[in-house]
Amino acid sequence: MKVFYAKSKLIPFLASERAKGKTSGLVPTMGALHEGHLALVKASVSETDLSLSSIFVNPAQFNNPEDLLSYPRSLEEDLEKLKNAGCDVVYVPTEEDMYDPFREPGFRFDFGELERILEGRYRPGHFNGVALVVAKLFNITQPDFAFFGQKDLQQFHVVSTLVRDLTYNIQLRCIPTIREKDGLAMSSRNRRIPLKLRPVANIFYRSLNAARDMLRNGKSIQETRLQIHNLFRKEPEVDLEYFEVVDTAEFTIIENIRNENKTALCIAGYLNNIRLIDNVMYI
Ligand code: AMP
């Protein structure tokens, strides 16, 4: 496995691999890798000739400076995990390799309504930062495929919009969420959950399942939303930010389910000061 710290070395290397006719797949990450990330890498390994991962804690997508500071970092372990998963190339840029240290990026994405609902609403500027770094990574690595997790469902929609609107010749793959035994969605932030709060953490997944049962049994979205809010009120260590039902075709919040196989239930909130998100499909 080759590790690059500078795009000036990575770009010619990838060009020479492409010239040999190899297809490539990119898995962008922020490190602190777990089985969820590795599922993306394994999907890339099985579908492409050259599997590429990036590790970069992107400051532009953090709207909360404390979250950025406390974000877990474990580069050596990450590289070992990537090697074992069959990854061929890792790009670990320095901040200067991604952003001009003397100038804030002048370009801004506008994803319209997408930036005003759910993650967009609660994390202002987040999707602009995500799109900026993903576009840079696409331009640098020019992959044939890129792999993202369903866990960040709205992010997948943002990246799909980016690919469509800017005509990137990249096929996107959305990989199902990998969970702990009790259902908690794997996340780098889970490392920060104190042991004594760990049993409460799967409330997000439990709520999604309970909500899905309610909806399937004919309860309205409005009533279901109310019940999920009540459930969270009973748990002092957790705060619910949102529970919404979404039509994934255009990624809009809905009040009536029309398209069952394009309906997702999305949730986000805090366990202590740790922000967790999750979602399940209605079907
Ligand atoms: P992150 O390092 O959190 O930016 O995540 C990098 C990629 O891994 C994103 O596409 C995430 O959606 C994906 N990912 C994170 N957690 C999981 C999980 N539990 N299962 C599947 N994919 C995941």
Side-chain angles (χ1 to χ4, degrees), residues 100-168:
D100 182 338
F102 303 107
R103 192 183 151 270
E104 287 272 303
F107 184 82
R108 267 204 65 86
F109 288 92
D110 181 356
F111 293 101
E113 210 31 41
L114 257 182
E115 290 188 60
R116 290 186 278 277
I117 61 166
L118 310 178
E119 293 303 287
R121 173 171 172 202
Y122 288 95
R123 304 187 66 187
H126 171 65
F127 286 131
N128 179 61
V130 168
L132 198 59
V133 83
V134 169
K136 281 172 183 279
L137 289 169
F138 284 174
N139 292 336
I140 293 168
T141 62
Q142 298 177 38
D144 301 288
F145 297 85
F147 298 80
F148 293 85
Q150 187 199 316
K151 197 194 126 226
D152 300 281
L153 193 60
Q154 194 174 3
Q155 168 176 285
F156 187 77
H157 198 80
V158 165
V159 175
S160 305
T161 307
L162 182 77
V163 164
R164 209 178 326 126
D165 289 355
L166 297 186
T167 325
Y168 279 110

Side-chain angles (χ1 to χ4, degrees), residues 28 30 34 36-37 40 71 148-149 151-152 155 176-178 186:
M30 297 204 297
H34 49 67
H37 296 112
L40 273 56
Y71 201 84
F148 293 85
K151 197 194 126 226
D152 300 281
Q155 168 176 285
T177 305
I178 305 295
M186 289 194 182

Side-chain angles (χ1 to χ4, degrees), residues 77-246:
E77 286 164 43
D78 290 351
L79 293 178
E80 193 58 32
K81 287 177 186 170
L82 287 173
K83 196 167 100 187
N84 293 337
C87 179
D88 301 298
V89 178
V90 192
Y91 176 39
V92 192
T94 58
E95 207 170 316
E96 293 72 42
D97 210 45
M98 288 302 252
Y99 295 104
D100 182 338
F102 303 107
R103 192 183 151 270
E104 287 272 303
F107 184 82
R108 267 204 65 86
F109 288 92
D110 181 356
F111 293 101
E113 210 31 41
L114 257 182
E115 290 188 60
R116 290 186 278 277
I117 61 166
L118 310 178
E119 293 303 287
R121 173 171 172 202
Y122 288 95
R123 304 187 66 187
H126 171 65
F127 286 131
N128 179 61
V130 168
L132 198 59
V133 83
V134 169
K136 281 172 183 279
L137 289 169
F138 284 174
N139 292 336
I140 293 168
T141 62
Q142 298 177 38
D144 301 288
F145 297 85
F147 298 80
F148 293 85
Q150 187 199 316
K151 197 194 126 226
D152 300 281
L153 193 60
Q154 194 174 3
Q155 168 176 285
F156 187 77
H157 198 80
V158 165
V159 175
S160 305
T161 307
L162 182 77
V163 164
R164 209 178 326 126
D165 289 355
L166 297 186
T167 325
Y168 279 110
N169 190 16
I170 298 173
Q171 293 202 46
L172 296 181
R173 297 280 186 263
C174 188
I175 306 299
T177 305
I178 305 295
R179 302 180 178 281
E180 301 289 354
K181 278 202 187 73
D182 68 347
L184 173 67
M186 289 194 182
S187 161
S188 305
R189 290 186 177 86
N190 292 356
R191 293 184 186 196
R192 296 178 46 218
I193 301 175
L195 218 57
K196 75 174 184 7
L197 291 183
R198 181 58 191 79
V200 189
N202 73 354
I203 185 171
F204 294 92
Y205 185 58
R206 275 191 283 119
S207 305
L208 287 172
N209 282 313
R212 184 164 53 188
D213 287 344
M214 289 179 219
L215 294 169
R216 283 182 182 168
N217 290 328
K219 218 168 226 137
S220 70
I221 292 179
Q222 200 185 8
E223 175 62 21
T224 304
R225 191 190 290 119
L226 213 71
Q227 295 225 8
I228 298 303
H229 276 268
N230 287 339
L231 202 104
F232 269 75
R233 269 187 213 112
K234 289 187 198 133
E235 289 284 355
E237 288 97 353
V238 288
D239 275 316
L240 180 62
E241 217 161 41
Y242 64 76
F243 164 82
E244 298 291 352
V245 182
V246 164

